[in-house]
């Protein structure tokens, strides 16, 4: 950017919108992948608890801890 102050014809070295968009898209894809993993893990965990012989006790304790 400072180079353009001295030479208006110099190439702009500012952060380009395309580069910013690419970074944001990558960040969004990473977050979506993390959410898919968390959802898959949560579903598996929930099924494991429900299949456990003490499922009702575990779920009641979890509700109590969550204040419900």
């Amino acid at each position: 950017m400072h180079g353009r102050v001295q030479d208006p014809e110099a190439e702009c070295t500012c952060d380009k919108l395309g580069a910013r968009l690419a970074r944001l898209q990558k960040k969004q894809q990473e977050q979506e992948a993390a959410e898919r993993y968390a959802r898959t893990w949560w579903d598996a965990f929930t099924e494991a608890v429900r299949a456990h012989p003490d499922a009702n006790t575990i779920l009641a304790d979890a509700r109590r801890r969550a204040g419900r």
Side-chain angles (χ1 to χ4, degrees):
M1 181 168 157
H2 294 291
R4 291 193 62 150
V5 171
Q6 295 176 352
D7 180 7
E9 301 301 319
E11 182 179 345
C12 180
T13 58
C14 307
D15 191 29
K16 304 272 194 280
L17 287 177
R20 291 176 68 193
L21 177 61
R23 283 194 307 272
L24 289 171
Q25 287 172 329
K26 183 177 186 217
K27 184 176 181 179
Q28 181 179 10
Q29 289 172 347
E30 290 169 352
Q31 288 175 335
E32 288 171 352
E35 288 175 12
R36 280 192 303 275
Y37 173 78
R39 196 170 27 256
T40 299
W41 191 93
W42 179 255
D43 290 344
F45 179 78
T46 301
E47 289 304 313
V49 168
R50 288 185 179 148
H52 194 279
D54 294 329
N56 290 334
T57 303
I58 295 168
L59 292 171
D61 184 41
R63 284 187 200 97
R64 181 187 55 77
R65 291 172 188 244
R68 292 183 177 184

